[in-house]
Every structure is written in structure tokens, then in C-alpha cells.
Amino acid sequence: MKAGYAEMSHASIKSLSLSKKRKIRENPTQNVDAGSSAKRLRNATHSQSERTNISGIEDTRRCGKIISIHLTNFMCHSNLRIEFNRRVNFLVGRNGSGKSAILAALVLGLGCNAKVTNRSKSAKDFIKIGETTAKIEITIANDGPQPFDPDEYGDSITIVRTITTSSGYYAVRNSQGRIITKKFDDLQRILLYHNIQADNPVFVLNQDSAREFLKELEPSKNYQLFLKATQIDLITEKLDECLHLHKAHREELANTEKLSLSYSRTLMLYPKKCKYGLKLQYMEKDIAVHKGKLKELIAFDHLGLEEIHKKVDKYEGEVNELNKLINNKDEVNSILTQKIAESFENIKVKNNEYSDVNQSLRKIRCQIDEMIRKRSEIEMKIESLKKRKSRLEKHINDLKQHIEERSKSNQDDVDALRRQNEESLANYRKQCETSLMPLIENLKQELNMLMENKSQKDYN
């Protein structure tokens, strides 16, 4: 890196939009009750009122802004602490003095892996030679409007990443230095709340990425950078996941509807079985009647007793079969009724999930349409700039041609004037030789005579 080259670390990071912050606050995993929400609202209002100090100058300290960084045994730095300025900070130094190491420490300390820095694939390679551990401590402000859980963290949050030769871990401290959590998910939630995207080239543009961007300027790579900077690639991935979930839910809903239809068809058969039950009741009445008649026949006629017994046995067998059908019917009816109720509940749940996914899909499509509109506007601006460039290039070529023509004509005039001056100079020389030379000779003779006269007078 040249001595005049400066790497800039902007210490102020924009806050997340209110809609995202509300969604994160409404997440049940944060366990924020109504009392703490009221306190947070009062703290946010109070801090917003204090953004303008006594002199009327706006206070630039706000949530998510990097206050300081402390490096221990990180690359070439044994013990370096930087307190950042309130606004813009420039890091200037000689080659190998560790300017890029500070940017790499910011990227690693804010939850990114080593590949994002374009320096190494493993975090242990950033440990200073001869040491076994390295530590990165980054303190961000939490005392502006919309702070993250101010009752727990206070007016600042310190993110500590410890790197060892075998592993590494994170720790998040509050303003009093007490460790609140060591979970990476909690760290990601804090960074998302403050809209800190260390892997986004718009937030942190390292030396290699800047050199590659300025050197190649390929439209495809610039477009990929645009997608990554605007998070359209992340939105596309989420949209693909939503589409896959949508298809899976549609298939599951279709299968559930098929099961519901089969259960409905099975349920439609039960009225017929109920008819059999009614028929059984009528047959029981007939059996009772036949039993009365049988008694009468036994009393009056013993000859047809065997035939009557056979009919009675036959009717009793039919009665037993119908009783079995009725008993099975009740069990099957209860089971199918339960399954149908469960199927309807599943259909309701799937419909709710489908409506939520469809709503999120509409939001994502609206965002994509907005991005496409912005992209078309940018392309139109680029096209107009290209046309303007071509017009300027044509105008420059015309000016160059005009200058060349004028220079040729001026050269001819200069040569003619030079010849005229040489001719006049030759004439002046001839005039001098013809008119002045005799006069000079006469003067020399007179001078000699005077000198001789003077010498004679001096001798006398």
C-alpha cells in the first residue's frame, strides 16, 4: 500500500428502519415485557431530545456507531486501541503498518468469517506470530434513538471475539463490562437490529475488492456487486425458499384434501348402514311376533315345531350379524369422525400458513419490483451518460482535427516570416558593409593619428 493511500473506516452506521425494529421487538425470543417497552420508549424520547446539545450542534452519537476498537495480538498489532472520532476517520500509514489489519479486525469482530476479508480462510491465521490467542473488542453506541434492550445493555455494547489456534468464541458485554450472552444468534440479532452488515461491500470495501473493482470494471461483476450491496441476492434466495415452501404446502394441502374427500365418501356410506340398523330393529320386532306365534303353535300344533325352530335360528343368526355390523359401525364412525376433525384442523393450519407465506411473498415481490424500477432508472442514466460521452468524444476529435489544421497553417506562416526576416537581415548586413565599413576605416585612421600625436607630445 502506498504511503499516500488512506483507508477510511466510517464510524457511524445507519440505524435499522422502524418496521424491521418493530418486527425484532415483537419476536418472543427477546422476552421484552410491556414495562421494559415503556422504559425503552422513554429512553428513546429522552435521548432524541438530547441529540441537540446546549450550543445547538447536533450530536452525531447514535445507536450502532462504532466508538472504539481494541486489538490484542492481532496480525501485526500487539496492543492497539483506537478511539474513533464522532464523524469520519482516516487511517494513514506506511506499507505494512497495519491499516488493512484494522478493517479485517472490524469484519471478523462483527460476526463474519475469515473468507470475507480476502486474506485467509481460517481465523487462526490472524493471530500474531509467536502468540497463541488473539482478541478483538469492538464497542458500539447504544444511547441514541431506538436502542437495543437499554435496560440490559446500557448506553454501549462491547462485542468481544477471542481467536485461538484450535477454536474461538464470542462474548457480548454491557456498558458496565458484564457478559450478557455468548450465543452467536444473540450477536446476529444485535447486528441485524442496528443494520450492521460487515460482509456487505457498501459497508466495508477492503483493499483487494476496491482494486479488483477499479481494475476490471466488468458489467457482470459490477452487477453482482450491486446485487450484494442492495441485498437483492439475499432476497432472491429467500424468495426461492418461500417458493419451495409454497409448493410443499400446496402438495400437502392437496394430499389433505384427497384424504378429506376419501373420508367424506366413507362417511356417506354410513346412512346405508344405519338403514341396516333400522331393519334390524324391525326384524327384532318380527322375531318377537314370531316367538308369540311360535308359542301359540307349540300349544296347538307340535308338528311344525322343527320348521319354526329353524326359522328362529335363521332369524337369530341374521340378528347377530346385524348387531356385529351395528357395533363395528359405531367404532368406525367415531374413528372417521375424529380423523375428519383432525383433517379440518390441519386444513385450517395449512391455510393460515399459506396466507402468511403468500403475504410475505407479496412483500418480497413489491421489494423486487422497486429494485427493478431503480435498476431501470440507473440503466437509463448510464445510457444517457454513454451518449453524452460519445458526443464529447466526437467534439474532442473535431477540436483535435481543427487544432492540427491550425497548427499546419501557422507553421507555413512562421516559415514564410522566417525567410522574410533572413532576407531583411542579409540586406542590413550588406548595407552595413557598404556604408559603415568606410566610415569605420576613417575613424580608425583618425584614431591612429591622434594616438601618434599624443605620443609625440608626451615625448616632447
Side-chain angles (χ1 to χ4, degrees), residues 76-95:
C76 61
H77 300 294
S78 298
N79 187 7
L80 175 66
R81 182 175 182 86
I82 300 176
E83 298 287 342
F84 289 110
N85 193 11
R86 293 189 305 169
R87 297 185 181 275
V88 180
N89 296 269
F90 292 90
L91 303 177
V92 183
R94 297 180 180 273
N95 294 339

Side-chain angles (χ1 to χ4, degrees), residues 50-82:
E50 290 180 349
R51 282 178 60 84
T52 305
N53 57 15
I54 298 173
S55 61
I57 301 174
E58 184 182 1
D59 188 6
T60 58
R61 185 162 181 171
R62 56 184 177 273
C63 293
K65 178 181 176 181
I66 301 176
I67 300 173
S68 64
I69 183 172
H70 185 199
L71 305 180
T72 305
N73 297 330
F74 185 84
M75 294 182 70
C76 61
H77 300 294
S78 298
N79 187 7
L80 175 66
R81 182 175 182 86
I82 300 176

Side-chain angles (χ1 to χ4, degrees), residues 69-167:
I69 183 172
H70 185 199
L71 305 180
T72 305
N73 297 330
F74 185 84
M75 294 182 70
C76 61
H77 300 294
S78 298
N79 187 7
L80 175 66
R81 182 175 182 86
I82 300 176
E83 298 287 342
F84 289 110
N85 193 11
R86 293 189 305 169
R87 297 185 181 275
V88 180
N89 296 269
F90 292 90
L91 303 177
V92 183
R94 297 180 180 273
N95 294 339
S97 60
K99 301 182 298 299
S100 299
I102 298 172
L103 281 183
L106 285 173
V107 173
L108 289 176
L110 294 175
C112 295
N113 54 24
K115 293 181 181 179
V116 180
T117 62
N118 293 329
R119 286 180 168 268
S120 177
K121 295 181 179 180
S122 177
K124 66 181 180 180
D125 296 334
F126 291 92
I127 301 174
K128 187 178 181 181
I129 298 173
E131 302 294 338
T132 57
T133 60
K135 184 182 290 186
I136 304 169
E137 299 182 18
I138 300 173
T139 302
I140 61 175
N142 196 45
D143 58 350
Q146 303 296 332
F148 181 83
D149 198 0
D151 298 333
E152 186 72 24
Y153 288 94
D155 59 355
S156 65
I157 300 173
T158 301
I159 302 168
V160 182
R161 182 174 184 178
T162 304
I163 304 171
T164 63
T165 55
S166 58
S167 62

Side-chain angles (χ1 to χ4, degrees), residues 19 30 68 355:
S19 62
Q30 293 184 2
S68 64
S355 62

Side-chain angles (χ1 to χ4, degrees), residues 313-331:
D313 293 334
K314 181 180 178 181
Y315 287 136
E316 286 179 352
E318 291 178 358
V319 168
N320 292 328
E321 290 179 358
L322 291 173
N323 284 327
K324 289 180 181 179
L325 289 174
I326 289 171
N327 294 328
N328 292 330
K329 180 264 297 183
D330 294 334
E331 294 177 359

